Amino acid sequence: GADYIGYAQELTFGVGSVAGDTVCLSAAILDDEILENNERFTVTFTADPNNAVIADGRETIDVTIAEDESESVTIGFKQESIVVTEGVDSNATICLLFSQGSLGREIDFLISIQEGTATSDDFVNGVLYTVTFSSGQMAPAEHCIVLQLIDDNIVESVESFSALLSTTDPGVALSTSTTTVTLFDD
């Protein structure tokens, strides 16, 4: 989306102006409600060479638009608990739900599997996953990881492990940051 209204604007120093006098330039900044990085634009000054001189190094000014959508995006596990049966279900599918906001930048999430009574011997894929929501995505959306379960043919009691969600992005509120996966034996 647009971040500011750009246009040519004439600045005039009045008759009798002296060194140090100022004239203000204004630009309309638009609040787009999209979580994005700080953005920049450049203002370029030109002068009529017959009437004024712009000091060297003052021909341009960089302007930064600071991001203000702090925690405007909400993402978390779709379910607080997942139940699967070893031997019947070959996978445990763990999904993240992007439930609020829109993204103007890519955001990475880390899902770490924390062993409980179920250990890495009960599934194949490992214990760390990175899930990326792309720039331009809008809620609602979801991304899932799939843990392949191992049917070990051993009679076991009910086991469980947890998945923990984290991100280093300060613009994201985590709605549900832990989910528990329960494995019933077949």
Side-chain angles (χ1 to χ4, degrees), residues 153-168:
N153 294 318
I154 298 171
V155 176
E156 301 169 294
S157 60
V158 175
E159 299 175 304
S160 66
F161 63 89
S162 297
L164 308 175
L165 178 64
S166 61
T167 184
T168 58

Side-chain angles (χ1 to χ4, degrees), residues 68-87:
D68 68 342
E69 267 68 57
S70 176
E71 294 192 5
S72 64
V73 170
T74 303
I75 296 177
F77 286 115
K78 185 175 180 179
Q79 299 169 280
E80 290 184 18
S81 63
I82 299 166
V83 176
V84 292
T85 301
E86 186 180 285

Side-chain angles (χ1 to χ4, degrees), residues 117-160:
T117 51
T119 67
S120 59
D121 294 336
D122 294 303
F123 48 88
V124 174
N125 305 66
V127 295
L128 289 176
Y129 300 86
T130 299
V131 176
T132 302
F133 282 85
S134 301
S135 177
Q137 281 195 280
M138 297 177 69
E142 67 179 55
H143 286 290
C144 301
I145 63 166
V146 176
L147 291 173
Q148 183 180 353
L149 302 176
I150 297 172
D151 184 6
D152 55 17
N153 294 318
I154 298 171
V155 176
E156 301 169 294
S157 60
V158 175
E159 299 175 304
S160 66

